[in-house]
Amino acid sequence: ALRLSPKSTVSGIALKLHAAGLARTLSPSGFLAGKFVASVSGLLLGALAGASRGGSTWALLGGLMFGFIGFMLPDTLLTTRARSRRERIRSELPDALDLLAVSVEAGMGFDGAIQKLTEHMDGALVEEFSLALGEMRIGESRADALKKMVERVEAPEMAAFVRAIIQADQLGISLGRILRVQAADARLRRQAAAEEKAMKA
């Protein structure tokens, strides 16, 4: 499967699986095996369908077409699932940032605020924060753990939030105020995206 997709790498597939929320249930090798099985199944099914229509030419064309569909379908489904999860994260972000801001303003550290967030909320965004918190607890710096979270969730709101937190750490700015601003910005982005979707509809 990797030979047929020169641009694909195991690490890249692992990142896509995490973005789709499937990293815990499906390994990159399992996904590649699924692509291979789907393409071979499509090839055989297409060949049989083409042969029943008449002639080896139809069998060849049907096999190639169905084989290609079987090979590409898992990637398409993975991309669709990752996009849906990213939209859920974008919609959950403003409320999560409000809770982080309240916790920080109450005197908690940033790590403690994330822990409080994981106790009171659930969903795709909380899964990402839990993973970042776990990385920080085993020795990863806060900036590196948050940057990895941005790599996993390619959302502009998340990138802006992480940049603001890193800059606040470097400049000694109040985290509570930064989180309030980021929550308001994320809420405005969510509203603008909803209005754009409504206009398209």
Side-chain angles (χ1 to χ4, degrees):
L2 283 174
R3 290 194 192 100
L4 292 173
S5 305
K7 294 183 179 179
S8 296
T9 61
V10 173
S11 59
I13 292 169
L15 195 62
K16 290 180 180 178
L17 287 171
H18 188 93
L22 297 173
R24 294 181 180 178
T25 57
L26 184 62
S27 67
S29 57
F31 177 76
L32 289 169
K35 283 190 68 169
F36 179 74
V37 169
S39 60
V40 171
S41 300
L43 183 67
L44 295 174
L45 182 63
L48 289 173
S52 66
R53 187 177 178 89
S56 57
T57 302
W58 281 104
L60 178 62
L61 290 174
L64 290 175
M65 183 175 69
F66 278 71
F68 178 76
I69 292 172
F71 187 77
M72 296 305 297
L73 186 60
D75 286 314
T76 302
L77 294 175
L78 190 65
T79 300
T80 302
R81 186 181 174 100
R83 186 182 299 116
S84 175
R85 185 172 183 267
R86 183 169 62 245
E87 291 305 314
R88 290 200 307 273
I89 288 174
R90 293 177 69 180
S91 68
E92 294 167 0
L93 187 60
D95 296 333
L97 294 183
D98 280 334
L99 183 54
L100 287 176
V102 169
S103 300
V104 168
E105 289 169 349
M108 284 187 179
F110 186 69
D111 294 4
I114 293 178
Q115 177 63 44
K116 183 66 67 175
L117 174 70
T118 60
E119 293 172 0
H120 288 82
M121 292 182 67
D122 55 15
L125 178 60
V126 172
E127 290 176 6
E128 294 295 339
F129 273 118
S130 296
L131 183 56
L133 182 61
E135 291 172 345
M136 286 186 268
R137 284 177 171 170
I138 62 173
E140 194 91 41
S141 70
R142 182 187 297 175
D144 289 341
L146 293 176
K147 286 177 182 177
K148 287 182 179 179
M149 187 165 67
V150 172
E151 291 176 3
R152 296 190 298 265
V153 183
E154 297 179 352
E157 296 90 341
M158 184 68 78
F161 156 69
V162 169
R163 280 196 306 269
I165 294 298
I166 293 173
Q167 288 176 357
D169 277 345
Q170 293 171 344
L171 302 175
I173 302 171
S174 168
L175 274 181
R177 186 175 65 179
I178 289 292
L179 289 167
R180 289 290 186 192
V181 171
Q182 290 300 312
D185 181 61
R187 195 164 276 110
L188 287 173
R189 287 174 183 259
R190 183 175 66 182
Q191 182 179 352
E195 290 173 354
E196 181 182 354
K197 190 178 294 185
M199 290 296 291
K200 287 180 179 179

